Amino acid sequence: MTDANPRLFAHPSFVAYWFARISSASAYQMLTVAVAWQVYDLTRSAFALGLVGLVQFLPKLVLMPVAGELADRFERRRVVAAAQALQFLTLLLLALGTAFDFLSLPLIYVLLAANGVGRTFEMPAMQALLPSLVPNPLLAPAVAMSASAFQVATIAAPAVAGFIYALGAAVVHGIATLLFAASIALIVSARPMRAQGYATAGQSGWQNFLEGLRFIRAQPAVLGAISLDMMAVLLGGATALLPIIASEVLHTGAWGLGLLRSAPAVGALGMSLWLARRPLERRVGPLMFGAVALFGLATIVFGLSSNLWLSMGSLVVLGAADMVSMVFRGAYVQLATPDAMRGRVGAVNGLFIGASNQLGEFESGVTAAWFGAVPAIVIGGVGTLLVVALWSRWFPELARLDRLPDGIS
């Protein structure tokens, strides 16, 4: 498996999928930098920054069951393309609203919520599409390379957005809009190498969602992997507070925010490329728990730092640790799930991920409003270490897991 990269890129549909991931992730990362700085510039409020995450999470909470059903009942490329088209429209409106000065704070939240709807439908279909593009033995490296696409975008796009923000937020949103158009064209061109396993009709979206949830509950290691990652990022994630840290602790501008946004992706990209060539093969459970603990420690260091370079270094380590957990969770969940169930399980997984990311941003905003940004980050890192200790006792089969499964057809 050491030659995983060349073997993966011998599949043209995977190449299209990979570049689509880069394009859409770049667009979203540019959106996050521009909107975060816009909202903080308008309000100077940690709570207002936290609401940015909440309004993007609420659509997941309501619509993820329907999203999982669609990913299992309809052609996944079309579902992804339609979801990205909605995000394209929201970014276009953000660009126009900024350029023509009719963009208010409530309108920003409405457009972010609409963007969250698109991401809700995109995520389970995008995840469920990947196994059909590569052979089963290449799925774990494919998950790592797919994650690396996201990290390539997360390194370059926030830094670029931070620097070109000097030209105006409308320019940032406009470039992001074009990137979504490119992603739609690429994903439509991807051709699965085997037929999709479709779910039977006749159940409601919530029934299908509950079926996916029941499947996860019946697999303790799957439940432990998903919930451990969710709780770690929910408590330890500090991305919502980066504008405050950049402005008030590190005394930088939008360019500094862009660099801070990029830093976790530097570590994550390096780790994802390493894992693509040297996949997790032995002691995968202990490695995941160790990575999550390192994530918590790096969060504490970041919270205590008042130096830009130390802050960026801690975020690099944080990103690398998070990537180990992300690749393990992505590969394990896909390999332990039958193809006809992958959309529904992906919907549940997507809800957990949304809770960890967007709801985590809201949690960070609320705790920062109560205690201040720095204490909120440190408390989150300590909470992550506590979660690692608890999950190692509650999910011993995950903590002892030696190898990934071979896959379920």
Side-chain angles (χ1 to χ4, degrees), residues 69 72-74 76 196-201 208 339-341 344:
E69 180 185 19
D72 279 339
R73 290 186 56 192
F74 297 97
R76 286 162 183 161
Q196 172 181 327
Y198 290 96
T200 57
N208 282 317
D339 186 61
M341 287 284 295
R344 281 161 288 173

Side-chain angles (χ1 to χ4, degrees), residues 36-50:
W37 202 256
Q38 282 180 293
V39 170
Y40 190 60
D41 193 43
L42 284 170
T43 65
R44 315 302 291 183
S45 166
F47 183 74
L49 286 172

Side-chain angles (χ1 to χ4, degrees), residues 152-355:
V152 165
T154 310
I155 291 172
V160 170
F163 282 103
I164 66 175
Y165 193 90
L167 301 176
V171 176
V172 181
H173 292 314
I175 294 173
T177 302
L178 295 176
L179 286 170
F180 258 119
S183 180
I184 293 168
L186 285 164
I187 207 67
V188 169
S189 71
R191 303 294 177 188
M193 62 186 302
R194 54 183 174 271
Q196 172 181 327
Y198 290 96
T200 57
Q203 295 190 120
S204 69
W206 276 103
Q207 287 174 319
N208 282 317
F209 181 81
L210 291 174
E211 188 175 344
L213 187 60
R214 283 192 293 269
F215 176 85
I216 290 174
R217 289 185 61 187
Q219 306 287 330
V222 174
L223 175 61
I226 293 175
S227 58
L228 173 63
D229 186 77
M230 180 195 76
M231 291 302 299
V233 178
L234 176 65
L235 295 173
T239 55
L241 305 180
L242 289 182
I244 299 175
I245 298 299
S247 176
E248 299 181 12
V249 177
L250 302 177
H251 308 293
T252 68
W255 65 271
L257 173 61
L259 292 177
L260 291 173
R261 284 275 186 184
S262 298
V266 173
L269 176 61
M271 182 58 68
S272 66
L273 294 174
W274 173 271
L275 292 174
R277 288 190 170 272
R278 293 173 174 82
L280 298 172
E281 294 180 345
R282 300 297 303 271
R283 295 181 54 79
V284 293
L287 283 172
M288 179 186 182
F289 276 86
V292 177
L294 182 59
F295 178 92
L297 289 172
T299 300
I300 294 172
V301 173
F302 173 71
L304 296 175
S305 172
S306 58
N307 177 274
L308 176 61
W309 301 111
L310 177 59
S311 296
M312 290 179 63
S314 62
L315 289 175
V316 169
V317 174
L318 179 151
D322 187 44
M323 178 53 59
V324 176
S325 173
M326 183 186 305
V327 169
F328 171 87
R329 184 196 67 232
Y332 188 85
V333 172
Q334 295 285 11
L335 289 170
T337 304
D339 186 61
M341 287 284 295
R342 280 178 174 141
R344 281 161 288 173
V345 171
V348 179
N349 189 29
L351 185 61
F352 275 64
I353 293 171

